[in-house]
Amino acid sequence: MNTKKSQGGKSRCPICQLGIFTELGRPIEDALQNLDAESLNFMAGSTVYETASAATAIYVLMHGYVKLAKTTLIGKSQIIRIVRAGEIFGFDGLVAEYYNHSAAAVGEIDVCRIPVAGLQDLGEHKAEVERLIMVRCIKELQHADERLLELGAKRSPERLASFLVDWCNAASANGWVPLVLSRSEIAQFLGLTIETVSRLFASWKRDGILREQKQSIRVMDWQRLKLLAQSN
Amino acid sequence: MNTKKSQGGKSRCPICQLGIFTELGRPIEDALQNLDAESLNFMAGSTVYETASAATAIYVLMHGYVKLAKTTLIGKSQIIRIVRAGEIFGFDGLVAEYYNHSAAAVGEIDVCRIPVAGLQDLGEHKAEVERLIMVRCIKELQHADERLLELGAKRSPERLASFLVDWCNAASANGWVPLVLSRSEIAQFLGLTIETVSRLFASWKRDGILREQKQSIRVMDWQRLKLLAQSN
DNA sequence: CGCGAAGTTGAACATAGTCAATTTCCGTGG
DNA sequence: CCACGGAAATTGACTATGTTCAACTTCGCG
């Protein structure tokens, strides 16, 4: 068993504590408490759901990182999204019978699992929650569009550089930023090989653009990195 | 002026005739008639909206094909989606101030333009329409995920082969299928160059897998094409 | 300390891109 | 109906980017 419920059974899901639904106002927050949402904890590397497993819930990531991935028939896998705390994943649960991708924990995570069946019980508030989900979904779609541009129209240095720029920006901590992903995961995310990623890191470290220590990176020359992200 | 309204001003938009919203039932169909949706006709190659233009409407494609594209700062463009009749595009209108991609007609098209402001006036039906849009959006997201796998984890022959398989399947007409897109557009869609696409076509025609005449293709050997789509 | 996994590095190779020369296609006008 | 002109597509030769394979090093952990 690679998953454990943090406090067993239908524990009160702390959705609101993260502020995802707070914008909807208190009555809805209360209604959400009545869903049988569960707070779950997964240890590093464990699977939240597999491709083609029954899509019965959507998830809100409370803490940590989740990677969503798809695999070709010949076994090459592509990470389609890295989910951050506060984001929703598992949209498939709302329209499809099965998930079309897998979700796995990168490091230890806490998620809130919301059974889709429960959403039906929201009554008058259902519409507002669905609207919020719609908005989130559209944002995901925009993000996916951006990634299609990355994968379809950019070369390896541009892909890695803009990935690093995004990653460090999201981390907001300037200075050292924990790089949660392994070389292999970065490669799978960018549609490259481990070796290519490794060589680019090495080259940029040599050039003084980056430094790395203990799974963390620090950008020394933002200007050059951003330039690499845009052209050659 | 490269666009013209088919019958000037706020013409009755034939949304329902396409059956997109019919699943919602008659009262909602009627309510939709009261939006100031416009039926528009664009000639081949003209632009429905540009990247970064004000996102004030969503569109339903009534007839033809639309290509949605993004461009890198150095001018390489990537087609992120080919929209077919009956599909919604311009989801950005619902959440963002500006479109993050462009939309252009491939051949002549008819679209129904629904101002987002109008959706607010749907009153009690708003929720149901938004739910439908949410469902469509999630399906687009799944489709985008699939394309990320194509671009990130597959080689040129696999990309082109699976594109052709999809294209011909969607056209449902077995036998000759009109290939609406130019080599350049196919290349932009698959993240390849015109030359690579051209060479693959040539090679497959030589091998008797395909035939082509007058902008239409015919798959002669489905088994081999599907095999090409999956592995090497 | 030692083992296994992750990461690095080099050399050879292959895939796809670039550049350039033709050829084909198609609409326009004679 | 044919001829012309321009755009699209094809083809070849060369190049470059990134992959593959393999050896080796580093890191983390028991």
Side-chain angles (χ1 to χ4, degrees):
Chain A
M1 187 70 172
N2 58 5
T3 80
K4 63 181 191 327
K5 289 167 189 171
S6 56
Q7 51 232 44
K10 297 178 184 177
S11 65
R12 191 172 186 277
C13 170
I15 306 179
C16 312
Q17 289 160 33
L18 207 82
I20 299 160
F21 293 103
T22 46
E23 57 190 85
L24 297 179
R26 179 127 297 281
I28 296 180
E29 283 188 50
D30 293 341
L32 280 164
Q33 299 304 327
N34 300 326
L35 299 179
D36 41 0
E38 295 170 285
S39 190
L40 300 172
N41 175 279
F42 290 85
M43 57 184 235
S46 60
T47 300
V48 180
Y49 52 77
E50 286 287 1
T51 303
S53 62
T56 57
I58 67 169
Y59 296 81
V60 180
L61 181 58
M62 307 304 292
H63 177 260
Y65 295 89
V66 168
K67 57 176 175 181
L68 308 185
K70 285 179 77 84
T71 304
T72 65
L73 291 172
I74 57 169
K76 286 197 73 173
S77 74
Q78 174 71 28
I79 295 180
I80 55 177
R81 186 180 156 210
I82 302 290
V83 185
R84 297 161 177 288
E87 295 179 342
I88 297 172
F89 65 102
F91 289 101
D92 290 14
L94 290 163
V95 303
E97 202 157 348
Y98 307 103
Y99 293 110
N100 78 341
H101 60 264
S102 65
V106 177
E108 193 189 0
I109 60 167
D110 296 309
V111 299
C112 175
R113 185 192 137 97
I114 307 174
V116 173
L119 287 179
Q120 307 309 316
D121 304 336
L122 281 173
E124 54 175 328
H125 301 304
K126 185 178 163 220
E128 289 170 81
V129 172
E130 280 183 347
R131 165 160 249 276
L132 184 138
I133 292 171
M134 179 192 78
V135 169
R136 293 300 191 100
C137 183
I138 292 173
K139 285 180 181 167
E140 283 315 315
L141 190 57
Q142 293 179 329
H143 186 249
D145 289 348
E146 187 56 40
R147 299 220 47 236
L148 284 171
L149 183 67
E150 296 285 323
L151 296 184
K154 293 189 177 179
R155 318 188 148 285
S156 61
E158 308 169 51
R159 291 188 211 174
L160 182 58
S162 55
F163 163 72
L164 291 177
V165 170
D166 285 354
W167 188 264
C168 292
N169 279 344
S172 75
N174 37 11
W176 291 97
V177 177
L179 188 60
V180 184
L181 305 174
S182 68
R183 293 286 188 268
S184 170
E185 286 166 329
I186 295 172
Q188 283 176 21
F189 186 67
L190 300 178
L192 301 169
T193 57
I194 301 173
E195 292 93 329
T196 302
V197 172
S198 184
R199 278 183 243 272
L200 288 169
F201 267 104
S203 151
W204 293 346
K205 284 190 241 176
R206 247 180 274 122
D207 295 351
I209 297 174
L210 285 182
R211 285 193 197 159
E212 189 173 29
Q213 68 182 210
K214 301 225 329 147
Q215 294 268 42
S216 284
I217 58 162
R218 173 170 188 165
V219 178
M220 308 306 291
D221 190 338
W222 279 97
Q223 200 178 354
R224 269 206 286 175
L225 188 64
K226 284 181 179 168
L227 207 94
L228 282 163
Q230 289 169 11
S231 60
N232 62 80
Chain B
M1 185 74 171
N2 58 7
T3 78
K4 62 180 193 326
K5 290 168 189 170
S6 57
Q7 50 233 43
K10 297 181 185 178
S11 65
R12 192 173 187 277
C13 169
I15 307 179
C16 309
Q17 289 159 34
L18 206 82
I20 300 159
F21 293 102
T22 46
E23 58 191 83
L24 297 179
R26 180 126 296 281
I28 296 182
E29 284 187 50
D30 292 342
L32 280 164
Q33 299 305 326
N34 299 327
L35 300 179
D36 41 0
E38 296 169 285
S39 191
L40 300 172
N41 176 279
F42 291 84
M43 57 184 233
S46 59
T47 300
V48 180
Y49 52 77
E50 286 287 0
T51 303
S53 62
T56 57
I58 66 169
Y59 296 81
V60 180
L61 181 59
M62 307 305 292
H63 176 260
Y65 295 89
V66 168
K67 58 176 175 181
L68 309 185
K70 282 177 81 81
T71 303
T72 65
L73 291 174
I74 57 169
K76 287 197 72 173
S77 75
Q78 174 70 29
I79 295 179
I80 55 177
R81 186 178 156 210
I82 302 290
V83 185
R84 297 161 177 291
E87 295 178 343
I88 297 171
F89 65 102
F91 288 101
D92 290 16
L94 291 163
V95 304
E97 202 158 344
Y98 306 104
Y99 292 109
N100 76 342
H101 60 263
S102 66
V106 177
E108 194 189 0
I109 60 167
D110 297 310
V111 299
C112 175
R113 184 193 139 96
I114 306 175
V116 173
L119 287 179
Q120 308 309 315
D121 304 336
L122 281 172
E124 54 176 328
H125 302 304
K126 186 180 162 219
E128 290 169 80
V129 172
E130 280 184 347
R131 164 159 250 275
L132 184 138
I133 291 172
M134 178 191 77
V135 169
R136 293 300 190 97
C137 183
I138 293 173
K139 284 180 180 165
E140 283 315 314
L141 190 57
Q142 293 179 330
H143 186 248
D145 289 348
E146 187 57 38
R147 299 220 46 236
L148 283 172
L149 183 66
E150 297 284 325
L151 297 184
K154 293 189 176 177
R155 319 188 144 283
S156 62
E158 308 167 51
R159 290 188 212 173
L160 183 58
S162 56
F163 163 72
L164 291 177
V165 169
D166 286 354
W167 187 265
C168 293
N169 279 344
S172 76
N174 34 13
W176 292 97
V177 176
L179 188 60
V180 183
L181 305 174
S182 68
R183 293 286 187 269
S184 170
E185 286 166 328
I186 295 173
Q188 282 176 24
F189 187 66
L190 300 177
L192 302 170
T193 57
I194 302 174
E195 292 94 329
T196 303
V197 172
S198 184
R199 277 183 244 273
L200 288 168
F201 267 103
S203 152
W204 293 346
K205 284 189 239 175
R206 248 180 273 122
D207 296 352
I209 297 174
L210 285 182
R211 285 192 197 159
E212 188 174 29
Q213 66 183 212
K214 301 225 326 150
Q215 294 270 43
S216 285
I217 59 162
R218 175 171 187 163
V219 177
M220 307 307 290
D221 190 337
W222 279 98
Q223 201 178 354
R224 269 205 285 174
L225 189 64
K226 285 181 178 169
L227 207 91
L228 282 163
Q230 290 169 10
S231 58
N232 63 76

